[in-house]
Amino acid sequence: MTPKVIIDCDPGHDDAIAIMMAGRLTEVLGITTVSGNAPLNLTTENALIMTELLDLDVDVHAGADRPLLLAPRHAAEAHGRTGLDGPVRPEITLEVASNDAVAFIIETVRNNDDVWLVPIGPLTNIALALRQAPDIVDRVAGVSIMGGSAGAGNVTATGEFNLWADPHAASIVFDAGFKKLLMAGLNLTHQFGIDKQLISDLRDLRNRAGIFAADLFDFYLASYQKRTHGERAPLHDPCAILAVTHPGLFRFESRNVRVETEGTHTRGMTVVDERGWGEGPLNCEVEYSIDRDQGMRVFLEAVSAYT
Ligand code: RIB
Ligand code: CA
């Protein structure tokens, strides 16, 4: 069965690649956007760029332009001022289907069985949907997030950007009681890195999607290496798609996970209880390993399927 998904995102280079993969590996019921890597107007424009470039018959709905309580924060150092720096910016003719992502999420989940929510940016839209319609918790097939970490953070020693940007929203989502909450944290996504070989393989596909992805990665890899000197740059968001479409690539462990909302030094930290005898509910399937090479083959095959 091809999974039905709603992608909630803040494009962002890796969000754009996640959309590219989902366009071939899943049935995308809609894309919702949120403030994150860039302000909402740009993350929304970037989502429209991807649906037009890939010729996806998928509506984009704009959502929250700020976190629940905190001031908006962005990641221009990783994604550039536009949120999608690198490639020549395509002209777009498409427009947003609505500015009410939360209503779209609620209505779509209520009207379709077995929908996966795949949030790969700050969790503001998902938290707002839960507040308005708690019934969606039992209606969805599951939630597969990119966020948090069963290890170090990236914005801070403990905070990963998506959950650090809106820890209050993340806490609502992790405490909601979803029957399936999959977490692709930084401990996992740093095993799924891109390098110059992959960029070359993408260019060799000789199709528009492959060239655009390669142009995105040229910027993303260079920007990452400027800041960290790593050989590879972690491809975060596509892991949340693969966890739904290819769970066999991963090792999951059931864990109790809470999100820190008050910590001076631990804002947005995912507190993953690895003791094995803790009292909290095992509310999250934490991903600890991925078969990188097989995952990259799945990625290249999906991109090659675009004309
Ligand atoms: O920390 C990585 C996450 O923050 C990814 O989703 C990336 O797109 C940014 O949103
Ligand atoms: Ca993202």
Side-chain angles (χ1 to χ4, degrees):
M1 286 283 283
T2 302
K4 291 177 281 185
V5 304
I6 296 173
I7 300 175
D8 185 67
C9 56
D10 63 334
H13 291 66
D14 52 331
D15 305 70
I17 299 300
I19 292 170
M20 199 177 275
M21 288 175 73
R24 284 294 172 274
L25 299 176
T26 71
E27 181 186 351
V28 185
L29 300 182
I31 293 172
T32 52
T33 57
V34 65
S35 165
N37 284 319
L40 179 67
N41 66 308
L42 283 168
T43 58
T44 303
E45 204 175 291
N46 295 339
L48 290 168
I49 284 175
M50 292 315 293
T51 54
E52 188 150 354
L53 175 93
L54 301 170
D55 198 19
L56 297 180
D57 181 18
V58 175
D59 283 345
V60 174
H61 299 261
D65 64 358
R66 69 194 59 244
L68 294 185
L69 299 177
L70 299 173
R73 301 294 290 268
H74 306 309
E77 71 287 353
H79 300 278
R81 186 193 60 76
T82 69
L84 217 51
D85 280 17
V88 172
R89 196 163 179 79
E91 289 294 315
I92 45 171
T93 61
L94 293 175
E95 295 187 358
V96 282
S98 87
N99 290 302
D100 195 348
V102 171
F104 170 77
I105 291 168
I106 293 168
E107 191 187 319
T108 305
V109 168
R110 284 178 172 166
N111 294 337
N112 295 273
D113 293 334
D114 302 323
V115 174
W116 277 90
L117 299 180
V118 183
I120 50 179
L123 291 165
T124 317
N125 290 336
I126 310 301
L128 289 168
L130 286 169
R131 271 189 179 157
Q132 276 186 44
D135 56 293
I136 64 173
V137 169
D138 295 327
R139 282 218 31 90
V140 297
V143 181
S144 180
I145 81 162
M146 188 281 137
S149 179
N154 51 10
V155 182
T156 69
T158 57
E160 175 280 324
F161 177 78
N162 288 339
L163 275 56
W164 173 87
D166 194 346
H168 303 93
S171 182
I172 289 169
V173 173
F174 274 76
D175 290 352
F178 286 106
K179 48 184 179 293
K180 268 192 187 175
L181 173 62
L182 314 182
M183 181 182 120
L186 296 176
N187 63 295
L188 186 280
T189 62
H190 277 256
Q191 300 174 39
F192 197 61
I194 64 152
D195 53 20
K196 291 194 183 314
Q197 181 56 55
L198 180 75
I199 294 172
S200 163
D201 294 343
L202 283 163
R203 290 204 189 286
D204 289 348
L205 296 178
R206 302 199 191 297
N207 65 355
R208 200 165 173 219
I211 290 163
F212 194 79
D215 290 347
L216 282 173
F217 284 161
D218 277 341
F219 176 90
Y220 184 69
L221 182 58
S223 140
Y224 188 78
Q225 288 175 333
K226 244 184 257 156
R227 288 174 285 123
T228 63
H229 313 299
E231 187 61 28
R232 289 177 168 170
L235 190 53
H236 304 290
D237 293 339
C239 294
I241 298 290
L242 287 172
V244 175
T245 61
H246 293 77
L249 297 179
F250 298 79
R251 177 170 69 85
F252 296 90
E253 296 293 348
S254 299
R255 294 280 189 262
N256 174 259
V257 181
R258 310 299 303 274
V259 178
E260 177 56 66
T261 57
E262 308 302 327
T264 306
H265 307 294
T266 53
R267 162 181 157 174
M269 176 180 183
T270 40
V271 181
V272 180
D273 190 343
E274 297 185 340
R275 293 173 294 172
W277 38 264
E279 58 287 345
L282 302 178
N283 61 321
C284 184
E285 295 298 314
V286 177
E287 294 147 36
Y288 281 88
S289 70
I290 182 172
D291 178 339
R292 178 206 179 265
D293 293 346
Q294 184 54 29
M296 287 301 176
R297 278 191 287 274
V298 170
F299 166 47
L300 282 167
E301 203 175 306
V303 180
S304 70
Y306 286 97
T307 50

